[in-house]
Amino acid sequence: MSSANLTAPQFTDETAAREHLEALRWPNGVFCAHCGSFDGITKMQGKSHRPGLWNCNACRKPFSVTIGTVYERSHIPLHKWLLATHLMASSKKGISAHQLHRLLGITYKSAWFMAHRIREAMDDNNTAPMGGNGGTVEADETYIGTKTAHTKGQGTGHKHAVVTLVERNGRARSFKVDKVTARDIVPIVRANVDKDAKLMTDEARHYWQVGTEFAEHGRVAHKRGEYGRGDVHTNTVEGFYSIFKRGMKGVYQHCSERHL
Ligand SMILES: [Zn+2]
């Protein structure tokens, strides 16, 4: 699955791990983990701050790349978390806390805790609509398979169209669709997104009508080169695809295989 081998820097060095995760989670630039704002984000410099802290001008709260993830608030170094995730996601038969304990050089108790948290993240038992209580859900599409969207020329290849819904700071669901059209996408959005949610999409036409059924519909004009305005953006779902396609594919396959 993944090309990353076990000696890759993100598995052996804490700073490299953080930068790796930042690059995956924020491919279009950093956005606030609390309010979702894409504007007015600054890096907190200086020795009094721990590394990897960002500040948001909109809500004035600091955040780091691990907020809202299973890696949040842990004394275990981030590179060990990434390695544990990689091992658990890439091993077909699963991996025990005892194996993690030996491989990562951490206590059995820590290994058990990590395994528990990672497994929980891979398990999508919460089937309630996403974005309830005024939450935000981002929707986007991508193509997965041997032929990428950037491939030139004709031919069908073996790519699958996938629609993904990501709740900011929450769950993600992916669905295989035959075609990226309103007919295929609208029923998925209706069935999985709470009517009280703010829906965020790009300018694609297939979201226009269904978008009116939600508390809010924010649209980003990607074709005009726009990545977002304030909390109107699809950077969470784009980060999800970037993670899916690079480092940690296995984790998300677990999350979404039933839907795929
Ligand atoms: Zn904020």
Side-chain angles (χ1 to χ4, degrees):
M1 41 151 277
S2 165
S3 57
N5 75 57
L6 302 186
T7 61
Q10 70 266 28
F11 298 140
T12 55
D13 177 78
E14 190 161 17
T15 302
R18 196 183 62 246
E19 287 167 357
H20 178 78
L21 208 56
E22 287 181 342
L24 290 174
R25 190 174 180 185
W26 296 319
N28 299 328
V30 182
F31 60 91
C32 178
H34 304 290
C35 72
S37 181
F38 189 51
D39 302 321
I41 306 296
T42 49
K43 196 167 201 164
M44 293 173 82
Q45 310 275 12
K47 294 195 177 78
S48 56
H49 303 296
R50 67 190 157 87
L53 267 192
W54 300 82
N55 188 57
C56 169
N57 234 340
C59 72
R60 313 228 162 242
K61 282 188 217 160
F63 62 93
S64 74
V65 72
T66 57
I67 285 196
T69 75
V70 291
Y71 312 133
E72 189 175 355
R73 282 178 215 280
S74 168
H75 65 277
I76 302 158
L78 188 56
H79 62 280
K80 297 202 176 189
W81 274 107
L82 295 193
L83 183 53
T85 307
H86 179 78
L87 289 168
M88 287 179 72
S90 58
S91 125
K92 276 206 175 99
K93 291 179 180 169
I95 192 158
S96 72
H98 266 292
Q99 284 170 293
L100 281 182
H101 151 64
R102 286 194 303 268
L103 286 165
L104 300 181
I106 53 175
T107 65
Y108 174 72
K109 202 179 149 193
S110 291
W112 186 90
F113 168 75
M114 289 173 98
H116 182 78
R117 265 209 184 174
I118 293 165
R119 215 168 281 126
E120 225 173 40
M122 299 196 300
D123 190 21
D124 185 20
N125 279 326
N126 186 350
T127 54
M130 304 161 87
N133 240 328
T136 301
V137 177
E138 299 177 21
D140 201 8
E141 314 89 39
T142 194
Y143 293 91
I144 290 170
T146 53
K147 198 163 190 168
T148 73
H150 303 291
T151 309
K152 281 185 179 170
Q154 302 294 312
T156 50
H158 295 284
K159 53 183 187 177
H160 298 288
V162 172
V163 175
T164 299
L165 304 168
V166 179
E167 201 174 36
R168 279 190 198 157
N169 275 327
R171 297 161 289 162
R173 291 180 195 163
S174 292
F175 305 85
K176 196 182 146 213
V177 289
D178 288 333
K179 283 182 181 154
V180 178
T181 58
R183 213 170 85 159
D184 282 34
I185 292 172
V186 166
I188 292 170
V189 174
R190 275 204 188 113
N192 289 279
V193 183
D194 195 288
K195 298 295 179 216
D196 288 329
K198 297 178 193 170
L199 181 68
M200 300 292 165
T201 68
D202 60 16
E203 67 274 77
R205 202 171 260 279
H206 44 256
Y207 294 114
W208 291 7
Q209 185 65 42
V210 71
T212 62
E213 298 171 19
F214 299 95
E216 227 180 281
H217 181 199
R219 293 202 302 238
V220 192
H222 282 158
K223 282 187 187 122
R224 290 207 313 261
E226 184 188 59
Y227 283 124
R229 314 174 295 280
D231 71 344
V232 176
H233 61 79
T234 54
N235 292 322
T236 318
V237 67
E238 285 170 51
F240 175 90
Y241 283 144
S242 134
I243 291 170
F244 189 94
K245 289 177 175 177
R246 283 167 64 192
M248 287 174 275
K249 200 169 170 182
V251 186
Y252 292 99
Q253 270 170 349
H254 277 284
C255 285
S256 50
E257 66 186 1
R258 249 176 306 156
H259 304 298
L260 277 166

